[in-house]
Amino acid sequence: MSVAEEDHNLLSKANSIKSIIEGSWRDISSKLSGLDIDEDDFKVIFSESKYVDFIFGERPANGWYYQRCMEALLPRFPSCGDYLINNCADDRIVASCLSSGFYGSVDIYNKVATFDHLPESQAYAAALCDIDTLKLLVKSKSSKIRSIAFQRLGPVECIDEMLSDSVAKNRAMGVQYAPYGYEKLTKMTNELARSVFARIVAKIDVQYLPMVLANRNTKNHWQSKIIEDRLNRGY
């Protein structure tokens, strides 16, 4: 078969899949299960962007159609799950393979947890990978992935990383878990995020409390009242 004939054959099968998912949602699984497609064609169609985009281009981005396709077709080719996870650039297909359990070993979670180019799949895997991989994810470029790592590892493992994170939500987590009077809080008196600042004011050692007075957040009446009350109490 020539390259042109092969492309025509694959496009024809991709079009059949597209037609099925554009039909009644009730029939998608049964029709896909009966589709005339072999393993090699399946690998190509669901790993190459030109076919994936052709099939799902008009579909909503919630992943439902991707999940139905994988659940209907992968039982016929279970070993293809690992192939798609490692070769497909479409996040929702990889996420569908993971959530459906189509992989040879749970160790795949450690690998996918480092896939910065697949954010949905990466987040799914980060919630399930091993501790050694999590420790690497504390330095991830993604704040969502760092947050997952912080929550799973906990403050015993990474309290200082939480407190120095570039995202307020993660810093707030760190302040929440920090012991009362924790020394690193004294280095956060210029915190601009109000939600984080409020927690710092409540937990910083009172002898360092005057250091926060230059912070613009003290213009807030509620914040300034808390500071005043703590200074008056002396603890």
Short mmCIF file of all heavy atoms in Angstrom, two decimals, residues 35-58:
data_model
loop_
_atom_site.label_atom_id
_atom_site.label_comp_id
_atom_site.label_asym_id
_atom_site.label_seq_id
_atom_site.Cartn_x
_atom_site.Cartn_y
_atom_site.Cartn_z
N LEU A 35 -16.37 -1.28 15.49
CA LEU A 35 -15.66 -0.61 14.40
C LEU A 35 -14.60 -1.52 13.77
O LEU A 35 -13.89 -2.24 14.48
CB LEU A 35 -14.99 0.66 14.94
CG LEU A 35 -14.36 1.60 13.91
CD1 LEU A 35 -15.44 2.28 13.06
CD2 LEU A 35 -13.52 2.66 14.63
N ASP A 36 -14.50 -1.47 12.46
CA ASP A 36 -13.50 -2.25 11.74
C ASP A 36 -12.18 -1.48 11.77
O ASP A 36 -11.94 -0.59 10.96
CB ASP A 36 -13.94 -2.48 10.28
CG ASP A 36 -12.91 -3.27 9.48
OD1 ASP A 36 -12.09 -3.96 10.11
OD2 ASP A 36 -12.93 -3.17 8.24
N ILE A 37 -11.33 -1.82 12.72
CA ILE A 37 -10.04 -1.14 12.88
C ILE A 37 -9.05 -2.11 13.51
O ILE A 37 -9.41 -2.89 14.39
CB ILE A 37 -10.20 0.13 13.76
CG1 ILE A 37 -8.90 0.94 13.79
CG2 ILE A 37 -10.66 -0.22 15.16
CD1 ILE A 37 -9.04 2.28 14.49
N ASP A 38 -7.81 -2.10 13.01
CA ASP A 38 -6.81 -3.00 13.60
C ASP A 38 -5.90 -2.21 14.55
O ASP A 38 -5.99 -0.98 14.66
CB ASP A 38 -5.99 -3.72 12.53
CG ASP A 38 -5.21 -2.79 11.62
OD1 ASP A 38 -4.81 -1.69 12.08
OD2 ASP A 38 -4.97 -3.16 10.45
N GLU A 39 -5.02 -2.91 15.21
CA GLU A 39 -4.19 -2.28 16.25
C GLU A 39 -3.27 -1.20 15.69
O GLU A 39 -3.12 -0.14 16.29
CB GLU A 39 -3.35 -3.36 16.96
CG GLU A 39 -2.50 -2.80 18.10
CD GLU A 39 -1.86 -3.91 18.92
OE1 GLU A 39 -2.46 -5.00 19.05
OE2 GLU A 39 -0.75 -3.67 19.43
N ASP A 40 -2.65 -1.48 14.55
CA ASP A 40 -1.73 -0.49 13.97
C ASP A 40 -2.47 0.80 13.59
O ASP A 40 -1.97 1.91 13.83
CB ASP A 40 -1.04 -1.07 12.73
CG ASP A 40 -0.03 -2.15 13.10
OD1 ASP A 40 0.45 -2.16 14.25
OD2 ASP A 40 0.27 -2.99 12.22
N ASP A 41 -3.64 0.65 12.98
CA ASP A 41 -4.42 1.83 12.61
C ASP A 41 -4.85 2.59 13.86
O ASP A 41 -4.84 3.83 13.89
CB ASP A 41 -5.66 1.42 11.80
CG ASP A 41 -5.30 0.93 10.41
OD1 ASP A 41 -4.15 1.16 9.99
OD2 ASP A 41 -6.16 0.31 9.76
N PHE A 42 -5.24 1.86 14.89
CA PHE A 42 -5.66 2.49 16.14
C PHE A 42 -4.53 3.35 16.71
O PHE A 42 -4.75 4.48 17.15
CB PHE A 42 -6.08 1.42 17.14
CG PHE A 42 -6.39 1.95 18.50
CD1 PHE A 42 -7.62 2.54 18.79
CD2 PHE A 42 -5.44 1.88 19.52
CE1 PHE A 42 -7.90 3.04 20.04
CE2 PHE A 42 -5.72 2.38 20.78
CZ PHE A 42 -6.95 2.96 21.04
N LYS A 43 -3.32 2.80 16.74
CA LYS A 43 -2.18 3.53 17.28
C LYS A 43 -1.95 4.84 16.53
O LYS A 43 -1.74 5.89 17.14
CB LYS A 43 -0.91 2.67 17.18
CG LYS A 43 -0.79 1.58 18.20
CD LYS A 43 0.54 0.85 18.01
CE LYS A 43 0.77 -0.21 19.04
NZ LYS A 43 2.06 -0.91 18.85
N VAL A 44 -1.97 4.75 15.22
CA VAL A 44 -1.69 5.94 14.42
C VAL A 44 -2.80 6.99 14.57
O VAL A 44 -2.53 8.17 14.81
CB VAL A 44 -1.53 5.57 12.93
CG1 VAL A 44 -1.35 6.84 12.09
CG2 VAL A 44 -0.33 4.65 12.74
N ILE A 45 -4.03 6.56 14.44
CA ILE A 45 -5.16 7.49 14.47
C ILE A 45 -5.25 8.23 15.80
O ILE A 45 -5.52 9.44 15.83
CB ILE A 45 -6.48 6.75 14.19
CG1 ILE A 45 -6.53 6.32 12.72
CG2 ILE A 45 -7.69 7.62 14.52
CD1 ILE A 45 -7.69 5.41 12.38
N PHE A 46 -4.98 7.54 16.91
CA PHE A 46 -5.14 8.18 18.22
C PHE A 46 -3.84 8.72 18.81
O PHE A 46 -3.84 9.22 19.93
CB PHE A 46 -5.82 7.22 19.19
CG PHE A 46 -7.28 7.07 18.91
CD1 PHE A 46 -7.75 5.97 18.21
CD2 PHE A 46 -8.19 8.04 19.31
CE1 PHE A 46 -9.10 5.82 17.93
CE2 PHE A 46 -9.54 7.90 19.03
CZ PHE A 46 -10.01 6.80 18.34
N SER A 47 -2.77 8.66 18.04
CA SER A 47 -1.51 9.27 18.51
C SER A 47 -1.08 10.46 17.67
O SER A 47 -0.34 11.32 18.16
CB SER A 47 -0.38 8.22 18.56
OG SER A 47 -0.06 7.77 17.25
N GLU A 48 -1.54 10.52 16.43
CA GLU A 48 -1.13 11.63 15.56
C GLU A 48 -2.16 12.76 15.60
O GLU A 48 -3.37 12.53 15.43
CB GLU A 48 -0.95 11.13 14.13
CG GLU A 48 0.23 10.17 13.98
CD GLU A 48 0.59 9.92 12.53
OE1 GLU A 48 0.06 10.64 11.64
OE2 GLU A 48 1.41 9.02 12.28
N SER A 49 -1.66 13.95 15.82
CA SER A 49 -2.53 15.12 16.04
C SER A 49 -3.48 15.38 14.88
O SER A 49 -4.62 15.79 15.09
CB SER A 49 -1.67 16.36 16.28
OG SER A 49 -0.91 16.23 17.46
N LYS A 50 -3.03 15.12 13.66
CA LYS A 50 -3.90 15.45 12.52
C LYS A 50 -5.18 14.64 12.53
O LYS A 50 -6.25 15.14 12.13
CB LYS A 50 -3.15 15.28 11.20
CG LYS A 50 -2.71 13.86 10.88
CD LYS A 50 -1.98 13.84 9.53
CE LYS A 50 -1.51 12.43 9.17
NZ LYS A 50 -0.81 12.39 7.86
N TYR A 51 -5.09 13.37 12.99
CA TYR A 51 -6.29 12.55 13.05
C TYR A 51 -7.12 12.86 14.30
O TYR A 51 -8.35 12.92 14.24
CB TYR A 51 -5.91 11.06 13.03
CG TYR A 51 -5.21 10.64 11.76
CD1 TYR A 51 -3.89 10.20 11.78
CD2 TYR A 51 -5.86 10.70 10.53
CE1 TYR A 51 -3.24 9.82 10.62
CE2 TYR A 51 -5.22 10.32 9.35
CZ TYR A 51 -3.90 9.88 9.41
OH TYR A 51 -3.26 9.52 8.25
N VAL A 52 -6.43 13.05 15.41
CA VAL A 52 -7.13 13.37 16.66
C VAL A 52 -7.90 14.68 16.51
O VAL A 52 -9.07 14.78 16.90
CB VAL A 52 -6.13 13.46 17.84
CG1 VAL A 52 -6.84 13.94 19.10
CG2 VAL A 52 -5.47 12.10 18.09
N ASP A 53 -7.25 15.68 15.95
CA ASP A 53 -7.92 16.97 15.75
C ASP A 53 -9.09 16.86 14.79
O ASP A 53 -10.13 17.52 14.97
CB ASP A 53 -6.91 18.01 15.23
CG ASP A 53 -5.85 18.37 16.24
OD1 ASP A 53 -6.06 18.08 17.44
OD2 ASP A 53 -4.83 18.96 15.85
N PHE A 54 -8.93 16.03 13.77
CA PHE A 54 -10.01 15.82 12.80
C PHE A 54 -11.23 15.19 13.48
O PHE A 54 -12.37 15.60 13.26
CB PHE A 54 -9.52 14.93 11.66
CG PHE A 54 -10.61 14.50 10.71
CD1 PHE A 54 -11.14 15.41 9.80
CD2 PHE A 54 -11.11 13.21 10.73
CE1 PHE A 54 -12.16 15.03 8.92
CE2 PHE A 54 -12.12 12.82 9.86
CZ PHE A 54 -12.65 13.74 8.96
N ILE A 55 -10.99 14.20 14.33
CA ILE A 55 -12.08 13.48 14.98
C ILE A 55 -12.78 14.33 16.04
O ILE A 55 -14.00 14.41 16.09
CB ILE A 55 -11.56 12.18 15.63
CG1 ILE A 55 -11.08 11.20 14.55
CG2 ILE A 55 -12.64 11.53 16.50
CD1 ILE A 55 -10.33 10.00 15.11
N PHE A 56 -11.99 14.98 16.88
CA PHE A 56 -12.56 15.65 18.05
C PHE A 56 -12.61 17.17 17.95
O PHE A 56 -13.03 17.83 18.91
CB PHE A 56 -11.76 15.29 19.31
CG PHE A 56 -11.75 13.83 19.64
CD1 PHE A 56 -10.61 13.06 19.40
CD2 PHE A 56 -12.86 13.22 20.18
CE1 PHE A 56 -10.58 11.71 19.71
CE2 PHE A 56 -12.86 11.87 20.49
CZ PHE A 56 -11.71 11.10 20.26
N GLY A 57 -12.21 17.70 16.82
CA GLY A 57 -12.09 19.15 16.69
C GLY A 57 -13.31 19.95 17.08
O GLY A 57 -13.20 21.04 17.64
N GLU A 58 -14.49 19.44 16.80
CA GLU A 58 -15.73 20.17 17.09
C GLU A 58 -16.37 19.77 18.41
O GLU A 58 -17.41 20.29 18.80
CB GLU A 58 -16.75 19.92 15.96
CG GLU A 58 -16.26 20.30 14.57
CD GLU A 58 -15.91 21.78 14.47
OE1 GLU A 58 -16.63 22.59 15.08
OE2 GLU A 58 -14.91 22.11 13.82
#
